[in-house]
């Protein structure tokens, strides 16, 4: 039976007000969504080289991936080396001038150097190389 009897057979109904709890949960969810950092991945899987140490990259960085067969991926699409500078210049507007290159460990260092020089031509101040954490 909901409620308690009081006096002459009257039943007083009780209920739990859920509105304040729902309000608190919504505030927490909104806070977590705003404070979370989402980084768009270039969309290709590469096996990064293992190193110890290192620094966590910037959340607003431009990401480029180089596969083991030296193909370049930018924003999930394969792109030619001569198109990279213009694409990076368009994308980096309003963002920090940082680029993170995710290169496959079996890719060539020559392709990495070419992507690095294209990033510098596009006006990127800091170019970083993504690696996996070592043992």
């Amino acid at each position: 039976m909901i409620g308690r009897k009081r006096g002459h057979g009257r039943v007083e109904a009780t209920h739990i007000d859920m509105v304040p709890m729902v309000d608190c949960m919504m505030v927490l969810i909104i806070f977590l969504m705003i404070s979370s950092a989402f980084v768009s991945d270039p969309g290709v899987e590469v096996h990064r080289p293992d190193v110890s140490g290192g620094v966590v990259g910037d959340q607003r960085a431009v990401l480029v991936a180089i596969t083991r067969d030296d193909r370049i991926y930018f924003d999930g699409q394969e792109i030619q080396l001569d198109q990279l500078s213009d694409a990076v210049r368009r994308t980096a507007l309003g963002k920090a001038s940082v680029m993170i290159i995710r290169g496959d460990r079996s890719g060539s260092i020559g392709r990495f150097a070419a992507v690095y020089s294209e990033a510098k031509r596009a006006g990127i101040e800091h170019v970083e190389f993504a690696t996996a954490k070592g043992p």
Side-chain angles (χ1 to χ4, degrees), residues 37 66 68 71 75 83 85 87 95 104 106-107 117:
I66 303 172
R68 70 175 44 197
R71 292 185 304 184
D75 199 20
Q83 300 169 340
S85 179
K95 289 186 175 184
D104 197 279
S106 59
S117 66

Side-chain angles (χ1 to χ4, degrees), residues 11-128:
V11 175
E12 184 180 315
T14 60
H15 72 283
I16 298 174
D17 191 10
M18 298 293 286
V19 174
M21 185 185 72
V22 171
D23 287 344
C24 290
M25 294 304 292
M26 290 302 292
V27 167
L28 287 174
I29 289 172
I30 291 171
F31 173 75
L32 289 174
M33 287 174 55
I34 291 173
S35 64
S36 297
F38 299 102
V39 176
S40 61
D41 209 1
V44 64
E45 183 64 33
V46 296
H47 299 284
R48 296 175 290 191
D50 296 329
V51 297
S52 60
V55 182
V56 177
D58 189 2
Q59 302 297 336
R60 299 168 295 165
V62 177
L63 297 176
V64 174
I66 303 172
T67 62
R68 70 175 44 197
D69 54 353
D70 291 337
R71 292 185 304 184
I72 301 169
Y73 284 85
F74 177 73
D75 199 20
Q77 302 287 329
E78 185 175 357
I79 191 169
Q80 298 301 317
L81 183 63
D82 56 353
Q83 300 169 340
L84 183 63
S85 179
D86 293 331
V88 168
R89 198 174 290 128
R90 283 192 307 264
T91 304
L93 291 176
K95 289 186 175 184
S97 56
V98 175
M99 176 188 279
I100 299 175
I101 300 174
R102 293 180 60 215
D104 197 279
R105 72 176 73 160
S106 59
S108 70
I109 193 70
R111 187 56 114 178
F112 170 73
V115 170
Y116 180 86
S117 66
E118 288 295 316
K120 289 298 184 178
R121 260 191 35 187
I124 300 294
E125 295 175 10
H126 302 288
V127 179
E128 298 175 3

